[in-house]
C-alpha cells in the first residue's frame, strides 16, 4: 500500500466519523425543534445540577479506567393540576448558567409532564450544535488537507 493510499484511507475513515457527528447534530437539532414546536411553556425553579460519574471502558496508558463527570440541569415546575414535577434535563451541559432558586422557563410535552426541557437556546440546541459544527469543521479540514496532500504527492 502506497503512502498516498494509506493517507487517503485515514482521511476517509475520519471523514466518515465526522459525517456521523454531522448526522447526529442534525438529528438532535431537528428533534429539539420538533419538541419545542409542540411543547407548552411554563415557569419553574432551577433546583441544581445532577452529577453522574461515568466509568468508561477506555483505559489510559497505565491501565486505569478513564472517568468523566457528566452534569445534567434539574428544575421543578407545577403542572395545571398543581402537581409538582422535578425533572432532569436530558442533555449534558458544559456551562453552568443557572443557580439554585433561579426562575426559569420550561418547555413541557403536553402528553408527558416528565418530558420537559429548559427553554433556552443553549439547553435546547447546544449539544446538537456542537456536534454539527465540529463535524462540519472536521470535514472542511479534511477536504482542504487532502487536496493539499494530493497536490504535493501528486
Amino acid at each position: 500500500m502506497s503512502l498516498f493510499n494509506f493517507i487517503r484511507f485515514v482521511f476517509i475513515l475520519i471523514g466518515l466519523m465526522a459525517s456521523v457527528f454531522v448526522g447526529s447534530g442534525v438529528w438532535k437539532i431537528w428533534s429539539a425543534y420538533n419538541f419545542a414546536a409542540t411543547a407548552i411553556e411554563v415557569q419553574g425553579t432551577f433546583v441544581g445540577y445532577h452529577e453522574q460519574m461515568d466509568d468508561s471502558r477506555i483505559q489510559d496508558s497505565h491501565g486505569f479506567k478513564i472517568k468523566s463527570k457528566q452534569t445534567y440541569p434539574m428544575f421543578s415546575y407545577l403542572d395545571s393540576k398543581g402537581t409538582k414535577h422535578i425533572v432532569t434535563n436530558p442533555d449534558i451541559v458544559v456551562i453552568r448558567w443557572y443557580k439554585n432558586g433561579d426562575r426559569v422557563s420550561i418547555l413541557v410535552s403536553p402528553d408527558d409532564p416528565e418530558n420537559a426541557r429548559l427553554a433556552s437556546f443553549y439547553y435546547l440546541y447546544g449539544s446538537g450544535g456542537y456536534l454539527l459544527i465540529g463535524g462540519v469543521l472536521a470535514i472542511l479540514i479534511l477536504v482542504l488537507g487532502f487536496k493539499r496532500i494530493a497536490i504535493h504527492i501528486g
Side-chain angles (χ1 to χ4, degrees):
M1 177 182 272
S2 72
L3 177 61
F4 180 74
N5 285 337
F6 176 74
I7 292 172
R8 184 170 58 176
F9 171 75
V10 170
F11 272 62
I12 290 171
L13 189 62
I14 294 171
L16 288 173
M17 292 181 348
S19 298
V20 169
F21 274 55
V22 168
S24 298
V26 168
W27 179 82
K28 286 183 79 67
I29 290 170
W30 181 252
S31 67
Y33 174 80
N34 285 333
F35 175 81
T38 60
I40 300 164
E41 187 169 346
V42 299
Q43 292 300 307
T45 305
F46 189 79
V47 296
Y49 292 94
H50 170 71
E51 294 180 346
Q52 177 179 332
M53 291 301 290
D54 180 36
D55 287 333
S56 175
R57 286 182 260 182
I58 300 171
Q59 295 182 353
D60 66 10
S61 61
H62 302 291
F64 296 106
K65 286 187 177 181
I66 297 173
K67 292 186 177 191
S68 64
K69 181 168 56 173
Q70 299 172 345
T71 305
Y72 300 88
M74 296 173 59
F75 48 89
S76 66
Y77 73 95
L78 296 174
D79 65 15
S80 58
K81 299 174 186 170
T83 305
K84 183 176 183 177
H85 298 273
I86 299 176
V87 182
T88 302
N89 212 58
D91 285 327
I92 299 168
V93 297
V94 177
I95 302 170
R96 296 180 176 215
W97 293 103
Y98 299 110
K99 294 180 282 202
N100 291 2
D102 284 353
R103 298 289 295 162
V104 291
S105 293
I106 300 166
L107 295 175
V108 181
S109 170
D111 302 327
D112 181 9
E114 297 300 316
N115 186 6
R117 301 178 191 181
L118 289 167
S120 78
F121 187 84
Y122 174 73
Y123 287 105
L124 282 173
Y125 304 109
S127 62
Y130 291 144
L131 288 169
L132 179 62
I133 291 168
V136 167
L137 287 175
I139 289 171
L140 287 174
I141 290 168
L142 286 173
V143 168
L144 295 174
F146 186 74
K147 283 185 176 182
R148 187 173 186 153
I149 289 171
I151 290 170
H152 290 313
I153 294 177

